[in-house]
């Protein structure tokens, strides 16, 4: 059989390639004679040629298509990959630092009223519950409390969560025991109230946790509700998207997104909430990339820490760790199934299902989540029924960013030297402070109610500083008549003339010279005319514009006589007074004038408290402090702020001044304290009034507390209030409610109580504590008149 002749190309095909020429001709021949394709020489020669040509064209078309695809899609993939690198940060997230009050330590015998204990629990966001079954709840029946405490990591160890029984009687703890074994407790430290949050710059509250530290029910439950195919799909769920598209078509609007957990993570961290095709396509691309680059465990942990779960004012709450504290005031690991189900349900719509504003919706959503947990076998039927009946159990209010702005300002100032703002905003530190929430509430109420009563025009302002007498810890600080108002903090920033508040320190210097001065020293209250270097004449006057002859030193201070005090101050020296003020931690004028003796200096209430702290502590010069310790995110102490201890030098002299200031509350300018409208509490203190009654002051201390009160106007106009008619009323209102110890003085063996003349040739004899040599030159002893023959 001869070979077939080479076919001739039709006109117009001479310039085509071999494949382009053969394939059309081949198909024409094949249509004309189908048998040729299956037999004869065609099967031997033409068919292999055709197949080779088709393979060539297949690969040409494949590479052409791939090139077109990469040319169009490749830059998009590169761009999305860069987005993942830039925004999908799996490193350490900036975490807010939290500021805590001091923990309440309950002990048998301690002073605390039932109302004050309830204030403490309320400020710590404990919720009232008839069963007190969950951590962070309590039950009250009169003076009987059952409290279910929360765990907390202190610098000296973790305080565990447990149920305790507290019985009060007559303002003291009568019984303290643990339930249910009813074992008596020597002490129980409650978790402290969170009083402020120093937020990251992005105003996001988060508390990242490793997935191993999260409840297993949460980890499995979020998958059963949000993405049951999470472990199997490549980042997107095709069937889920198809279902969502069908639902959108039927509704003729965007009603479902069909998003997987990975897609939700993308939306929460890298994209806006817009609902359009372009954003959805980017979401899908990013989800595929993230799933290809990271393992499922990493993706799920990131989702659980970044999911948007609520809004606290201007602060966005992200992650289930922060969500547990925001809604329940507890750690995530302590939540029960009903609470976990509520958190999972909130992912769908934190605002719509907000359990505080929309409890019915929240309960309905929780029911849906619990049903899906039951359907997937995560919980039993019995547990499902129990969780359905459980209350929402959310705390009444979310934590405030800054609940006590005046106090928190002091905290910031005191830790600023050790911790800059960037560190506070990113490292999740715990700042343990000295604030006593109960005392703070009482101080706020005392100031607000008193000022409202005496000033209906709302022109009067005020401030209160309350410290612990022995060590200077700030227990309460109020910066204005509206305690929650941030802004000008009068307790720290208002520098006002202090008037007579400096007089105790004039006499402290005098009594430090026992050979010259004692409480029995007779001081002239006659007029003074002192020519100053400037040529002016200093002519101080008494408040009542009268003179009082010769008076004992103790009365000159108790009754706040200006002329007698000025005479003593000039004798000891104005420079000595200025040095004493400096040594006590308050800046004095560099060129002091005689008027400093009578309080011609502007100080803030906090600075006045710093001065009086030396008197209240019995002579210990202690810096006032608002911070106890700073802990890192693992509970390890980074910085401690220890308080000085010990018996200070010169304690007896300080106690002599306290004797005179105690007389102030009995017969002097603060005698209303011991009257019918006063309080049953031994104390010492000093009133102060500036010129024209522009400032009303009172600084007083008991055996346990020191409080400084200032009243005045921001425009510096007269208030028509003296220290005794204004600030003293606030102090009285505070200590009428605040449990405190009576003032008790214990002198050394060097002190003797001796009889002295009060200025009437021993017609009136008073006993005074005095130091050696026991008979200063300016006193008259009455020992002979008391000697028995």
């Amino acid at each position: 059989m001869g070979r077939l002749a080479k076919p001739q190309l039709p006109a117009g095909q001479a310039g085509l390639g071999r494949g382009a020429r053969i394939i059309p001709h081949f198909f024409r021949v094949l249509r004309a004679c189908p048998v040729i394709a299956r037999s004869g020489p065609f099967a031997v020669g033409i068919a292999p040629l055709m197949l080779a040509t088709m393979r060539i064209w297949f690969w040409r078309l494949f590479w052409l298509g791939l090139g077109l695809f990469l040319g169009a899609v490749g830059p998009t993939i590169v761009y999305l990959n860069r987005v993942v690198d830039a925004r999908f940060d799996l490193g350490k997230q900036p975490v807010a630092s939290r500021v805590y009050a001091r923990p309440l330590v309950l002990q048998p015998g301690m002073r605390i009223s039932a109302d004050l204990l309830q204030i403490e629990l309320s400020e710590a966001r404990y919720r009232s519950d008839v069963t007190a079954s969950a951590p962070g709840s309590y039950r009250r029946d009169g003076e009987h409390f059952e409290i279910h405490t929360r765990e907390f990591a202190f610098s000296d160890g973790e305080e565990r969560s447990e149920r305790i029984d507290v019985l009060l009687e007559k303002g003291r703890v009568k019984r303290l025991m643990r339930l249910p074994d009813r074992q008596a407790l020597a002490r129980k430290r409650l978790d402290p109230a969170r009083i402020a949050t120093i937020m990251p710059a992005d105003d996001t509250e988060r508390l990242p946790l490793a997935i191993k530290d999260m409840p297993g029910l949460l980890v499995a439950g979020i998958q059963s509700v949000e993405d049951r195919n999470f472990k199997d799909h490549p980042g997107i769920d095709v069937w889920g998207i198809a279902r969502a598209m069908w639902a959108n078509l039927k509704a003729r609007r965007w009603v479902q997104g069909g998003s997987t957990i990975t897609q939700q993570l993308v939306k929460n961290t890298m994209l806006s909430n817009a609902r359009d095709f372009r954003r959805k396509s980017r979401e899908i691309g990013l989800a595929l990339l993230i799933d290809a680059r990271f393992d499922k465990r990493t993706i799920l942990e990131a989702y659980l820490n970044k999911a948007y779960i609520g809004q606290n004012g201007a602060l966005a709450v992200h992650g289930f760790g922060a969500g547990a504290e925001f809604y329940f005031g507890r750690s995530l690991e302590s939540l029960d199934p009903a609470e976990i189900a509520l958190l999972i349900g909130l992912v769908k719509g934190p605002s719509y299902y907000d359990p505080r504003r929309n409890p019915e919706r929240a309960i309905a959503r929780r029911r849906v989540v619990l049903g899906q947990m039951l359907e997937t076998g995560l919980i039993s039927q019995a547990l499902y029924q129990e969780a359905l009946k459980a209350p929402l159990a959310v705390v009444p209010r979310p934590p405030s960013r800054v609940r006590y702005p005046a106090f928190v300002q002091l905290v910031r100032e005191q830790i600023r030297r050790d911790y800059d703002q960037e560190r506070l905003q990113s490292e999740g530190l715990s700042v343990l402070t000295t604030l006593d929430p109960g005392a703070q509430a009482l101080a706020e109420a005392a100031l607000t109610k008193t000022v409202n009563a005496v000033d209906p025009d709302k022109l009067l302002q005020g401030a209160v500083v309350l410290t612990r007498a022995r060590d200077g810890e700030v227990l309460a600080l109020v910066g204005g008549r509206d305690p929650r108002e941030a802004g000008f903090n009068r307790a720290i920033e208002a520098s006002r003339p202090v008037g007579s508040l400096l007089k105790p320190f004039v006499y402290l210097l005098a009594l430090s010279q026992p050979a010259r001065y004692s409480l029995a020293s007779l001081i002239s209250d006659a007029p003074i005319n002192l020519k100053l270097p400037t040529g002016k004449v200093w002519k101080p006057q008494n408040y009542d514009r009268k003179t009082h002859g010769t008076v004992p030193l103790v009365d000159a201070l108790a009754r706040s006589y200006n002329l007698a005090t000025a005479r003593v101050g000039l004798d000891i020296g104005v420079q000595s007074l200025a040095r004493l003020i400096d040594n006590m931690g308050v800046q004095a004028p560099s060129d002091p004038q005689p008027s400093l003796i009578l309080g011609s200096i502007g100080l803030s209430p906090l600075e006045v408290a710093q001065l009086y702290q030396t008197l209240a502590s019995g002579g210990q010069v202690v810096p006032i402090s608002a911070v106890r310790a700073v802990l890192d995110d693992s509970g390890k102490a980074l910085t401690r702020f220890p308080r000085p201890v010990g018996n200070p030098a010169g304690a007896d002299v300080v106690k002599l001044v306290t004797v005179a200031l105690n007389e102030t509350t009995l017969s002097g300018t603060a005698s209303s304290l011991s009257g019918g409208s006063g309080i049953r509490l031994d104390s010492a203190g000093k009133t102060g009034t500036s010129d024209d009654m522009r400032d009303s002051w009172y600084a007083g201390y008991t055996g346990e507390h020191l409080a400084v009160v200032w009243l005045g106007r921001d425009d510096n106009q007269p208030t028509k209030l003296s220290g005794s008619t204004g600030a003293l009323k606030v102090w009285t209102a505070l200590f009428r409610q605040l449990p405190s110890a009576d003032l008790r003085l214990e002198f050394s063996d060097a002190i003797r109580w001796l009889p002295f003349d009060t200025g009437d040739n021993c017609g009136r004899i008073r006993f005074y504590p005095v130091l050696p040599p026991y008979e200063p030159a300016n006193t008259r002893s009455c020992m002979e008149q008391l000697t028995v023959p």
Side-chain angles (χ1 to χ4, degrees):
M1 182 178 294
R3 298 182 59 183
L4 291 174
K6 182 178 180 180
Q8 298 296 316
L9 295 176
Q13 293 188 10
L16 297 178
R18 183 181 179 192
R21 293 194 301 267
I22 291 176
I23 291 174
H25 181 71
F26 165 74
F27 280 108
R28 281 198 300 271
V29 173
L30 192 62
R31 285 195 300 270
C33 187
V35 178
I36 295 178
R38 298 189 296 271
S39 62
F42 185 86
V44 176
I46 300 300
L49 178 63
M50 181 198 71
L51 293 175
T53 303
M54 291 180 69
R55 280 196 296 268
I56 292 171
W57 273 96
F58 170 80
W59 287 111
R60 285 181 179 178
L61 292 173
F62 171 79
W63 291 115
L64 177 62
L66 181 61
L68 292 173
F69 175 79
L70 292 178
V73 180
T76 301
I77 295 175
V78 172
Y79 166 74
L80 294 179
N81 205 49
R82 290 177 178 173
V83 170
V84 172
D85 289 335
R87 300 185 189 177
F88 191 63
D89 184 11
L90 294 178
K92 188 173 182 179
Q93 298 292 307
V95 180
S97 293
R98 285 108 188 272
V99 183
Y100 295 93
R102 66 94 183 92
L104 176 64
V105 181
L106 294 172
Q107 299 177 5
M110 72 174 291
R111 284 184 301 273
I112 189 169
S113 66
D115 290 342
L116 199 55
L117 178 54
Q118 183 153 340
I119 289 174
E120 291 272 358
L121 295 172
S122 175
E123 292 301 298
R125 298 196 304 141
Y126 275 68
R127 61 182 179 86
S128 178
D129 181 8
V130 293
T131 63
S133 57
S137 63
Y138 73 95
R139 181 179 71 86
R140 177 184 178 182
D141 181 12
E143 293 195 319
H144 181 212
F145 289 78
E146 288 184 13
I147 306 172
H148 199 151
T149 67
R150 294 179 287 233
E151 64 179 18
F152 191 84
F154 292 95
S155 58
D156 59 351
E158 185 171 291
E159 194 80 23
R160 67 178 185 176
S161 170
E162 56 186 353
R163 292 181 65 204
I164 61 173
D165 180 273
V166 184
L167 179 63
L168 308 179
E169 185 176 88
K170 297 181 180 179
R172 290 182 180 271
V173 177
K174 181 181 180 181
R175 184 181 70 214
L176 178 64
M177 64 182 181
R178 183 172 57 228
L179 297 174
D181 62 4
R182 305 187 69 81
Q183 180 178 345
L185 298 174
R187 68 193 293 270
K188 177 59 183 179
R189 181 170 51 177
L190 275 61
D191 53 293
R194 179 172 153 196
I195 61 174
T197 306
I198 303 174
M199 301 304 303
D202 60 0
D203 280 340
T204 299
E205 185 165 3
R206 52 176 71 87
L207 186 61
L209 298 171
I211 198 168
K212 65 181 177 61
D213 297 325
M214 299 181 187
L217 183 60
L218 170 67
V219 176
I222 195 71
Q223 296 176 68
S224 71
V225 175
E226 295 294 327
D227 188 0
R228 293 190 184 181
N229 296 325
F230 173 73
K231 294 181 179 179
D232 302 318
H233 62 61
I236 63 171
D237 186 349
V238 176
W239 292 112
I241 294 176
R243 286 193 302 269
M245 291 179 64
W246 178 245
N248 295 335
L249 288 173
K250 288 195 299 181
R252 297 185 179 181
R253 60 187 178 89
W254 195 282
V255 294
Q256 288 186 24
S259 297
T260 63
I261 281 178
T262 314
Q263 289 174 265
Q264 293 181 46
L265 178 60
V266 168
K267 183 172 62 176
N268 287 335
T269 58
M270 289 180 267
L271 298 176
S272 69
N273 289 325
R275 291 187 170 187
D276 55 49
F277 178 78
R278 184 169 179 269
R279 188 206 62 81
K280 192 68 178 179
S281 62
R282 292 181 65 193
E283 176 188 302
I284 292 173
L286 288 167
L288 289 169
L289 277 175
I290 288 174
D291 196 272
R293 291 181 53 178
F294 302 98
D295 62 78
K296 293 289 187 178
R297 185 181 181 87
T298 299
I299 295 170
L300 187 57
E301 180 177 300
Y303 174 80
L304 292 170
N305 281 318
K306 294 173 183 287
Y308 175 59
I309 208 162
Q311 194 73 25
N312 187 7
L315 309 178
V317 181
H318 283 263
F320 285 83
E325 288 197 354
F326 177 67
Y327 289 108
F328 302 106
R330 308 205 311 275
S331 63
L332 181 60
E333 63 184 15
S334 71
L335 301 189
D336 61 35
E339 293 163 338
I340 290 174
L342 178 61
L343 287 184
I344 292 174
L346 287 171
V347 172
K348 185 176 181 181
S351 178
Y352 186 79
Y353 297 109
D354 186 336
R356 294 190 180 97
R357 294 185 301 170
N358 305 304
E360 295 83 5
R361 294 176 186 170
I363 290 174
R365 178 60 183 162
R366 185 185 66 177
R367 185 184 302 114
V368 172
V369 173
L370 288 170
Q372 296 192 40
M373 287 180 172
L374 176 65
E375 179 184 326
T376 52
L378 296 179
I379 58 175
S380 65
Q381 182 68 37
L383 191 56
Y384 169 75
Q385 293 296 335
E386 180 183 347
L388 285 179
K389 298 174 184 177
L392 287 176
V394 296
V395 292
R397 55 180 171 80
S400 173
R401 181 172 185 176
V402 179
R403 180 148 177 77
Y404 307 108
F407 180 84
V408 172
Q409 180 182 343
L410 178 60
V411 171
R412 283 177 174 270
E413 290 183 2
Q414 293 193 348
I415 64 175
R416 186 175 295 161
R417 64 180 179 267
D418 297 317
Y419 301 94
D420 58 28
Q421 183 70 8
E422 182 179 354
R423 192 174 182 187
L424 289 172
Q425 288 183 320
S426 63
E427 295 191 7
L429 305 178
S430 294
V431 182
L432 307 184
T433 76
T434 61
L435 183 87
D436 180 330
Q440 176 73 25
L442 295 178
E444 292 175 356
L447 177 63
T448 302
K449 291 179 180 178
T450 304
V451 169
N452 288 342
V454 301
D455 176 43
D457 297 330
K458 299 187 181 299
L459 297 174
L460 193 63
Q461 276 293 348
V464 179
V465 179
L466 176 70
T467 71
R468 194 159 60 183
R470 72 172 185 268
D471 58 13
E473 286 195 345
V474 180
L475 306 180
L477 190 140
V478 187
R481 68 187 293 167
D482 184 357
R484 298 293 180 267
E485 182 180 293
F488 185 51
N489 187 349
R490 296 160 190 84
I492 298 175
E493 299 170 321
S495 182
R496 308 290 296 216
V498 298
S500 297
L501 290 187
L502 283 193
K503 288 177 181 175
F505 305 98
V506 174
Y507 291 105
L508 178 64
L509 289 170
L511 293 169
S512 298
Q513 305 174 41
R516 300 182 60 215
Y517 288 99
S518 75
L519 293 177
S521 295
L522 297 176
I523 311 297
S524 171
D525 192 50
I528 292 176
N529 291 280
L530 178 66
K531 188 173 183 179
L532 302 176
T534 60
K536 295 182 179 180
V537 178
W538 185 51
K539 299 173 63 176
Q541 291 184 322
N542 284 326
Y543 179 78
D544 60 3
R545 301 296 192 268
K546 299 177 182 179
T547 60
H548 304 92
T550 301
V551 296
L553 183 149
V554 64
D555 290 345
L557 177 54
R559 297 172 186 175
S560 199
Y561 291 156
N562 289 339
L563 296 174
T565 304
R567 186 164 275 105
V568 173
L570 291 172
D571 182 46
I572 63 171
V574 179
Q575 289 287 352
S576 297
L577 178 60
R579 284 194 297 271
L580 177 63
I581 293 172
D582 279 330
N583 291 337
M584 289 181 171
V586 176
Q587 186 175 359
S590 57
D591 184 23
Q593 300 301 311
S595 58
L596 177 66
I597 297 169
L598 301 181
S600 180
I601 180 177
L603 297 177
S604 69
L606 186 69
E607 290 173 317
V608 171
Q610 181 63 72
L611 292 177
Y612 275 77
Q613 192 65 48
T614 302
L615 303 180
S617 66
Q620 185 80 56
V621 179
V622 292
I624 284 179
S625 176
V627 183
R628 288 182 174 178
V630 178
L631 314 181
D632 64 14
D633 56 2
S634 66
K636 179 182 177 181
L638 299 176
T639 309
R640 295 182 186 272
F641 297 82
R643 311 306 299 152
V645 295
N647 189 29
D652 282 337
V653 177
V654 170
K655 291 173 183 176
L656 293 178
V657 174
T658 295
V659 169
L661 293 178
N662 175 247
E663 187 65 30
T664 302
T665 70
L666 300 175
S667 63
T669 56
S671 59
S672 63
L673 283 173
S674 57
S677 61
I679 55 176
R680 295 181 179 179
L681 186 67
D682 288 335
S683 65
K686 186 71 189 74
T687 57
T689 309
S690 66
D691 292 343
D692 300 322
M693 292 187 171
R694 286 183 167 85
D695 301 274
S696 170
W697 290 91
Y698 186 73
Y701 51 96
T702 68
E704 190 173 355
H705 300 101
L706 161 69
V708 174
V709 180
W710 168 83
L711 297 181
R713 287 175 53 163
D714 289 342
D715 59 7
N716 201 32
Q717 293 300 305
T719 65
K720 300 181 181 179
L721 297 172
S722 66
S724 58
T725 60
L728 180 58
K729 290 186 176 181
V730 178
W731 195 96
T732 304
L734 170 58
F735 281 88
R736 188 175 283 122
Q737 300 296 325
L738 179 68
S740 191
D742 285 310
L743 181 65
R744 293 288 182 264
L745 297 178
E746 295 182 3
F747 293 100
S748 72
D749 293 338
I751 291 285
R752 293 183 185 176
W753 288 79
L754 299 175
F756 289 91
D757 180 24
T758 62
D760 191 20
N761 294 320
C762 292
R764 290 179 296 163
I765 298 175
R766 291 166 65 179
F767 282 80
Y768 298 96
V770 292
L771 285 165
Y774 303 122
E775 293 187 23
N778 57 352
T779 61
R780 289 196 292 268
S781 173
C782 296
M783 283 294 293
E784 293 182 0
Q785 284 76 0
L786 295 179
T787 301
V788 178

